[in-house]
Amino acid sequence: GAVVSQHPSWVICKSGTSVKIECRSLDFQATTMFWYRQFPKQSLMLMATSNEGSKATYEQGVEKDKFLINHASLTLSTLTVTSAHPEDSSFYICSALLGGLYNEQFFGPGTRLTVL
Amino acid sequence: AQRVTQPEKLLSVFKGAPVELKCNYSYSGSPELFWYVQYSRQRLQLLLRHISRESIKGFTADLNKGETSFHLKKPFAQEEDSAMYYCALSGGSGGSNYKLTFGKGTLLTVNP
C-alpha cells in the first residue's frame, strides 16, 4: 500500500527558533501534498496545499510567512514553522495524494511540536 | 462554504449492537464524501468513500443528497471497531478540489 512518513515524530524547541518537518511519500510520487493541524481532541484543519514545483496554496487565516512550505520533489514536502511560539504547539499531519482512479489521500503519522 | 457536521462527540455501544455515526454536510456543488478512521496510536486511514459504494469491515454509508447526509452504519459492532471516526468532504476532481474538510469526529467505543 501507499505509505507516507513524517520526520520527526516529535520535537521540542525553544520559543523563537524554527522547526522543519518533512513529509515523504515512500512508494509513490505525489505532485500534491497537504498539511493539516490538529489541536488536542479536535479535528484536522487544513493549513495548505503543497504542489510540486510551485508555490503552496494556503487556507484563509494561515500565515504563509509563518508556515513555509517547500515541495521540491515528487516525494518530499517540508513545513517550516518559523520563529515558533508556544501557540504553535500542535500536532501537524501531512497527506500525499495518490492519483489514479480514485485519487486518494494517504496520511502520515503526524509530528508533535511543543514550543517552550 | 463547505462544512461537515458530526453531532456526536462520543458514541458508546455494546458488542453486537447496531451502530450509526451521523454526518451532515453543507456544500454548494456535488461533493465527494468520505469516512476516515483513526485507531488508537495509529494514523488516519480511509474507511470508505461514497463513490466506491463498498462495504468495508462491515461498514456502509449512503449519500443522501436530499438530507445532505452521509451516515456510517454497521449492523453488528465489534470491539475492534472502537476508534475515532471522521467524516470528510471534498469538492471532487481537479487540483485543490481534492482538499478535505473534516468533521470534528466521533469517538466510538464498543463495550464487551
Side-chain angles (χ1 to χ4, degrees):
Chain A
V3 180
V4 176
S5 70
Q6 279 185 244
H7 178 80
S9 55
W10 59 270
V11 57
I12 301 172
C13 69
K14 292 182 179 180
S15 187
T17 60
S18 294
V19 175
K20 180 185 283 188
I21 303 170
E22 294 185 348
C23 177
R24 292 181 185 273
S25 54
L26 298 185
D27 49 3
F28 67 101
Q29 294 182 329
T31 56
T32 304
M33 293 184 176
F34 301 91
W35 287 95
Y36 297 86
R37 185 171 178 176
Q38 186 176 34
F39 290 102
K41 297 184 180 180
Q42 294 192 33
S43 187
L44 285 79
M45 183 191 75
L46 179 67
M47 299 174 65
T49 303
S50 172
N51 301 296
E52 188 268 335
S54 65
K55 291 183 179 180
T57 304
Y58 291 81
E59 295 300 301
Q60 192 172 10
V62 178
E63 299 176 60
K64 60 181 181 181
D65 295 329
K66 172 77 170 175
F67 299 99
L68 299 179
I69 292 173
N70 185 281
H71 194 154
S73 79
L74 289 172
T75 59
L76 173 65
S77 175
T78 61
L79 169 69
T80 302
V81 183
T82 62
S83 187
H85 288 94
E87 57 266 29
D88 298 323
S89 298
S90 191
F91 197 56
Y92 292 88
I93 302 172
C94 74
S95 71
L97 184 67
L98 174 62
L101 183 62
Y102 288 136
N103 288 301
E104 183 174 340
Q105 284 189 39
F106 288 88
F107 286 81
T111 296
R112 171 75 58 195
L113 170 63
T114 301
V115 185
L116 303 176
Chain B
Q2 56 195 57
R3 188 170 60 245
V4 177
T5 303
Q6 292 180 251
E8 304 138 328
K9 275 189 175 180
L10 304 170
L11 184 61
S12 182
V13 300
F14 285 103
K15 176 182 173 182
V19 63
E20 181 180 47
L21 289 83
K22 290 183 168 47
C23 172
N24 287 89
Y25 67 91
S26 173
Y27 188 74
S28 58
S30 294
E32 188 168 354
L33 274 294
F34 307 81
W35 276 99
Y36 283 85
V37 61
Q38 188 170 30
Y39 299 104
S40 180
R41 296 191 181 87
Q42 293 187 30
R43 68 187 67 196
L44 202 64
Q45 57 184 287
L46 179 66
L47 180 62
L48 53 80
R49 58 200 299 168
H50 87 271
I51 61 170
S52 61
R53 305 181 71 81
E54 293 177 306
S55 172
I56 306 295
K57 298 183 179 181
F59 285 96
T60 59
D62 290 318
L63 180 63
N64 186 322
K65 293 184 178 180
E67 296 183 356
T68 58
S69 68
F70 189 56
H71 303 325
L72 183 68
K73 301 177 183 178
K74 185 169 183 176
F76 308 104
Q78 303 298 315
E79 289 180 68
E80 55 265 30
D81 295 329
S82 296
M84 179 68 86
Y85 291 81
Y86 293 97
C87 183
L89 172 157
S90 80
S93 63
S96 62
N97 279 339
Y98 290 126
K99 62 182 184 181
L100 294 168
T101 298
F102 285 88
K104 293 189 175 182
T106 297
L107 180 61
L108 173 65
T109 302
V110 181
N111 300 297

